[in-house]
Amino acid sequence: MPPSPKSRPKRPWQEVAQEAQEYRDASMKDYDTRLPEPLEGNMPKSVMTVPGSLLADESLQITELLPEELVSLLASGQLTSVTVTEAFLRRAALAQKLANCVTELLPERALARARFLDDHYTQYKRPIGPLHGLPISVKEHIGMDGLRVHCGYVSWWYKIGKEDAHVLEILWNAGAVFHARTTEPQSMMHLETDSNLYGVTVNPYNRDVTSGGSSGGEGALIALRGSCLGIGSDVGGSIRNPAANNGIYGFKPTAFRIPTDGWGYAMAGADTIDSVLGPLSTSLSGIKLFMKAVLDAKPWLTEPAIVPIPWDSGRVITDSQPLKIAVMWHDGVVKPHPPVTRALSLVVEKLRSLPNVTVVDWKPHVHDEAWAIISNLYYPDGGEEDAEAIDSSGEPWRPLTNWIIKENPCVKELTRGELNYWLEEREAYRKEYANVWTATATGRNPHSGDLEGMVDIILCPVGPGVAPEHGTAKYWCYTSQWNLLNYPAVVFPVSKVDASVDVKDRAYKPKKGVDKDNWDLYDPAIFDGLPVSLQLVGRRYEDEKVLAILEHIKEKIGLPFAKFP
C-alpha cells in the first residue's frame, strides 16, 4: 500500500499521470491484442468494426450477446463464467486501445471470481444468483476494496478504497464478476470524459467527437462491447449523455432507490442536488436486470437513506391500456439540431398510429430558471474543494472544468441564508412543475376519484445535438432539468445522423447566447453516422413505469430504426 499523503513528497503531476497510465497498461498485458500496422498511430475515425476483424470468433460471439442472453446461458451451464470473463477481458483491453476508456482491467480478481462461480455450479448444479457469471464494468469513482478511488484528480491518485461500495456488494452477492473500471473526467462535472491522468476518452463511432460524460468510459466501453452492463453516476446527465452519444441504453433512477454508500467525489455528503448511481447497457432488459437485482436485495435495510420500494417486475403496458405521451420538441432555450428533431418526428409518427396512444405537445415550464437554480446548488462551497483537489497537485484545469466552475457566474460560496434561498427555490420549482404535470389531467374517475387523462410520460431530446466535438459540450439542460426535479429518465437509441437528410436549416435565426452557440456547432458532415438517441421521463418514483412504457413502444414501433452493433 502506498504511503499516506502527509508522508509522501510532492511529485510533478506528469509523473503521477505516467504512473497511472503504466499501471493501467500493466493490468492489460495478458489480454493485449496487437493492432495491425496500418492502425498503429493511424486509427480510423470510426473504430466500431475493428474488434470484428481482430478477435477470435468465440470471443466475438460471447461479447456480442446481450446481458439477458448471457445470464440465461450461464445459469443453464451452456457457458462457463471463466470463458465469458476471458472474452470480455480481451475485448475490454482492445476497447481501451481504440477509445481510451479504461482505468484498469481486473483480470486476477475477475478470473478468481469466475473460477469460484464455475466450481459452485459444478457442485450444486445451479447458479449462485440472478447475475451468475455476468461481467459488469464499474465507473472508477465507485469504491472497490483495496483499489484506488481518484475520481479523475491527480492529487487523489493515492486514495485507496477501504471497502466495496454497497451497490457492488449487492451485485457480487447476485453473482456478478467485476472485470473493468472506466474513465471519468477531472471534477466529474463534464459532459465529456477527459482528465490529466488518462487524457481524452473518444467516441468509437467517430474519434473526433466525445463519448460524453461523466460516465463516458462506460459509454465507449459498452458501445465497443467490452462490457454489456456497467454502472455509472448521474447528477446532471452523466449516465444519459454517454448512453446517447454511444447508441446504448442508460437509466437515471429516482434518487434514493439505488444505494450510493462507498462512492467517492468532491463534496461527498452534500445533498443540494442528489446524484444517483444507475446502469448503462447494450439492452433495455439489461437495465431492468440491474434494477431488479439491486432492489431485490432490499438495500434500505442497511442504507437507511434508500426508500423502501421493492422493484415491481410485473409492471407492463398492455395494448388496451391508454397512454398519453407528451413530446417536448424544444426546451424553450436551445433548439435541437436537425437529427434530433427528425428522430422525434419519426417516433411521434409511429406513436400516433398506435390505437392506445395519445400524443400531445409538452410546453416546457421556465427551463431557463431551472438551470439558474441547479447551477447555484452544484457548488455551494464556490468550488473550493474541487479547486483544492486540482491545485494541490499542480495539474492544469481542463477546459470544461474551468467552464463549469470558474467561468460559471452562478458558482460562488453561498452564505447560510443564500443556501436556504436556493433550496427554497428548488422546492418551489419542483412543486410548480408537479402542478403543471398534474394539470394535464382531463377529469376524475367518478368511482375512485383518481385523476384521469394525465400525461404518463414525456418524450424529449437527451441533448441539443448528437455527440459534439471535443471540448464543446456546454449545454446540459436537456438532462440536468430532470436531476433538479428528481425524475427518472431512460435513454434509448433511435436512428443515426444522415448528412444528406439532416441538413442545416439556413433560415433558422438562433437567439443570441447559448442557442446560437449550439446552432453554430452543427455540421452534418462532421456528425454523419453518429447515434441519435431520445429520452423518456417519468414522475418521481415511477421508475418501473418509465421502463415499461419504453418496452411497450419499442415492441410496437420497432425501435431502434437503425442497426446498432
Side-chain angles (χ1 to χ4, degrees), residues 512-524:
K512 290 181 180 179
V514 288
D515 190 32
K516 184 178 187 306
D517 292 344
N518 178 68
W519 197 250
D520 289 346
L521 294 175
Y522 185 62
D523 183 337

Side-chain angles (χ1 to χ4, degrees), residues 2 37 54 59 67 88 94 102 162 189 232 261 322 328 364 390 434 485 499:
E37 197 168 300
L54 296 181
S59 288
F88 276 98
L94 178 57
V102 175
K162 296 180 180 178
M189 291 290 280
D261 274 2
M328 189 179 83
I390 295 168
L485 295 170

Side-chain angles (χ1 to χ4, degrees), residues 185-470:
Q186 179 193 65
S187 83
M188 305 287 296
M189 291 290 280
H190 300 192
L191 295 184
E192 171 92 77
T193 296
D194 64 321
S195 71
N196 292 312
L197 285 169
Y198 303 106
V200 178
T201 298
V202 300
N203 190 307
Y205 283 91
N206 180 342
R207 290 169 50 85
D208 293 337
V209 304
T210 179
S211 66
S214 62
S215 308
E218 285 296 325
L221 180 67
I222 295 171
L224 284 164
R225 299 304 188 263
S227 176
C228 63
L229 179 62
I231 315 171
S233 57
D234 194 314
V235 75
S238 292
I239 288 172
R240 292 159 292 154
N241 172 263
N245 287 3
N246 293 281
I248 62 175
Y249 294 84
F251 183 52
K252 183 203 85 67
T254 306
F256 304 112
R257 289 208 72 181
I258 298 298
T260 58
D261 274 2
W263 63 359
Y265 60 97
M267 290 181 60
D271 60 357
T272 49
I273 299 296
D274 298 313
S275 187
V276 302
L277 294 179
L280 300 91
S281 181
T282 51
S283 74
L284 176 58
S285 292
I287 300 292
K288 295 169 72 176
L289 191 67
F290 173 94
M291 295 298 295
K292 176 173 168 50
V294 174
L295 291 178
D296 279 358
K298 300 182 179 178
W300 50 85
L301 295 178
T302 52
E303 189 172 326
I306 302 303
V307 179
I309 304 176
W311 186 252
D312 182 5
S313 299
R315 188 64 185 264
V316 294
I317 305 298
T318 64
D319 290 343
S320 61
Q321 181 176 343
L323 277 181
K324 189 174 182 180
I325 300 176
V327 183
M328 189 179 83
W329 300 90
H330 185 321
D331 70 351
V333 183
V334 170
K335 179 182 173 69
H337 290 163
V340 177
T341 301
R342 182 168 66 89
L344 276 170
S345 297
L346 288 171
V347 172
V348 168
E349 181 183 3
K350 296 279 189 180
L351 290 175
R352 290 190 193 280
S353 70
L354 300 181
N356 66 321
V357 173
T358 301
V359 179
V360 298
D361 287 339
W362 182 264
K363 183 179 179 181
H365 178 67
V366 289
H367 281 211
D368 52 343
E369 289 186 18
W371 177 249
I373 296 167
I374 199 169
S375 57
N376 268 284
L377 289 173
Y378 274 143
Y379 294 101
D381 70 340
E384 181 180 352
E385 186 171 346
D386 289 83
E388 166 62 23
I390 295 168
D391 294 340
S392 61
S393 69
E395 67 168 309
W397 285 61
R398 304 295 289 194
L400 289 178
T401 311
N402 197 67
W403 171 78
I404 192 61
I405 298 178
K406 291 185 175 181
E407 296 176 10
N408 185 345
C410 294
V411 173
K412 64 175 183 176
E413 185 175 359
L414 301 179
T415 65
R416 181 177 297 179
E418 289 169 333
L419 178 58
N420 288 340
Y421 169 81
W422 286 110
L423 290 173
E424 288 173 359
E425 287 292 296
R426 180 192 70 184
E427 294 310 303
Y429 185 77
R430 287 175 172 176
K431 182 177 180 179
E432 287 175 20
Y433 218 92
N435 288 337
V436 168
W437 193 313
T438 301
T440 63
T442 56
R444 286 188 181 273
N445 184 300
H447 303 293
S448 67
D450 293 340
L451 290 170
E452 294 183 325
M454 193 187 306
V455 163
D456 290 290
I457 202 113
I458 297 172
L459 171 67
C460 61
V462 191
V466 296
E469 292 182 276
H470 294 293

Side-chain angles (χ1 to χ4, degrees), residues 469-488:
E469 292 182 276
H470 294 293
T472 64
K474 295 181 178 180
Y475 192 74
W476 297 21
C477 298
Y478 281 98
T479 48
S480 63
Q481 172 73 25
W482 315 117
N483 294 88
L484 176 63
L485 295 170
N486 191 19
Y487 287 174

